[in-house]
Amino acid sequence: MELHVRKRFCSICLMGLLGILGLGCSADSGQADDGNGLNDTMDVSQNRKSVGDSAADLLDGSRFPALHLEIFYVEGLKPSATTLDNFESFLMERLHKPDGVTIALTEISSPGQAVYSITDIRNLEDDIRTAYNQEGILKVFGLFIDGEYSENTENGSVLGVAYRNTSFVIFADTIREFSGQPLAPSTAVLETTVLDHEFGHLLGLVNAGTPLQSAHQDEPHGRHCTTEDCLMYWTAETGEGLINMISGGTIPGLDAACLADLQANGGK
C-alpha cells in the first residue's frame, strides 16, 4: 500500500537551552519529564537503544503498521519541500507501513553552540522530544542543527549522524556551507543524500541490525558499503567526500547488495 506523508508545521521557543545542554543524559527508566508534557508512565527506553535495534520494526509493518517522524529544525534551517518530498519517496520505496507515515516539523531557537558532541545532541533530544513509540506506531526523532560536529577533522566534515535506534541529527549549517561552493550540488540534493544515508543506518545498514546477505561491508569504514556509488558508501557522511561522490546532481541510491539485505529483513 502506498504511504501517505502528512507534513505539520509548528514552532516552539526553548528558554535557557544552553543551561539544559550542560546536564547529563536522562536515565532510560521510563520516567518522562513533566516539562515536556509527557506522562510519567511513558516508556522512553524503547527509543533509546543502539542504532539498528529497530531495523526490522522500521522495515516491516506487522508490529508497527504506522511510522511517525518528529523532526525539529533550528530557525533558518528548515528542510526544503524538495528534501521532504525526496525523503517521502525513499520511505515509500523501502518500508512496509500500511497505516501510513506522518512527518511533523517543529522550529526551535538555536542552542547557541558552535560545536556539538553526540552527548550534546542526546541531551537536547531528551529535552525536546515528545514522540515515543505507542501501540502500532513507531516514532522517530530527527534534528536539523546549526553549528558543526565535534569530531570534524581537517580532512572530513561530518554532515549527519544516526546515534540511537530512532534518532538522527543532520548538521544543516555544514551542508549549506558545502552547497554554497562553486559547482557544488544543491542544498536539497545534499540534504536528501545525508538524510537518506542516516535513515539507512536506522534501517540496520550495513551489518548494523540488518543481517548481511552477501559480503559487502566496508569494515575499515565501519557500517558502510563497499560499492562506491551506493548511498551507504562512507563518503556520503562527509561534505568533502559527498561532493565528489554526487555526479550531475543525482542523489545516490542503494546498491543491489543493500537492497537484498533490507528485503530479507522485512523491507521492500
Side-chain angles (χ1 to χ4, degrees), residues 197 201 205-207 212 214-219 221-235 253-259 261:
H197 179 97
H201 285 310
L205 297 173
V206 174
N207 199 24
L212 293 175
S214 63
H216 66 105
Q217 181 183 356
D218 181 8
E219 294 187 12
H221 292 105
R223 306 297 192 178
H224 292 103
C225 184
T226 54
T227 304
E228 291 187 5
D229 60 354
C230 176
L231 174 68
M232 298 311 296
Y233 193 62
W234 70 273
T235 57
L254 294 169
D255 74 341
C258 283
L259 289 176
D261 292 350

Side-chain angles (χ1 to χ4, degrees), residues 42-115:
M42 181 173 288
D43 182 10
V44 302
S45 66
Q46 297 305 303
N47 296 96
R48 295 182 181 175
K49 297 183 177 182
S50 298
V51 174
D53 281 0
S54 293
D57 286 334
L58 283 165
L59 291 162
D60 184 56
S62 56
R63 184 182 177 202
F64 293 103
L67 173 67
H68 176 75
L69 296 106
E70 182 180 42
I71 297 179
F72 292 83
Y73 63 92
V74 167
E75 183 179 3
L77 297 177
K78 179 180 175 181
S80 70
T82 301
T83 296
L84 294 174
D85 287 344
N86 291 338
F87 186 45
E88 172 187 350
S89 296
F90 178 79
L91 297 175
M92 290 172 62
E93 290 170 358
R94 302 278 72 89
L95 311 183
H96 290 285
K97 294 300 169 197
D99 289 351
V101 175
T102 56
I103 300 176
L105 295 178
T106 301
E107 181 181 280
I108 61 173
S109 299
S110 171
Q113 293 183 216
V115 178

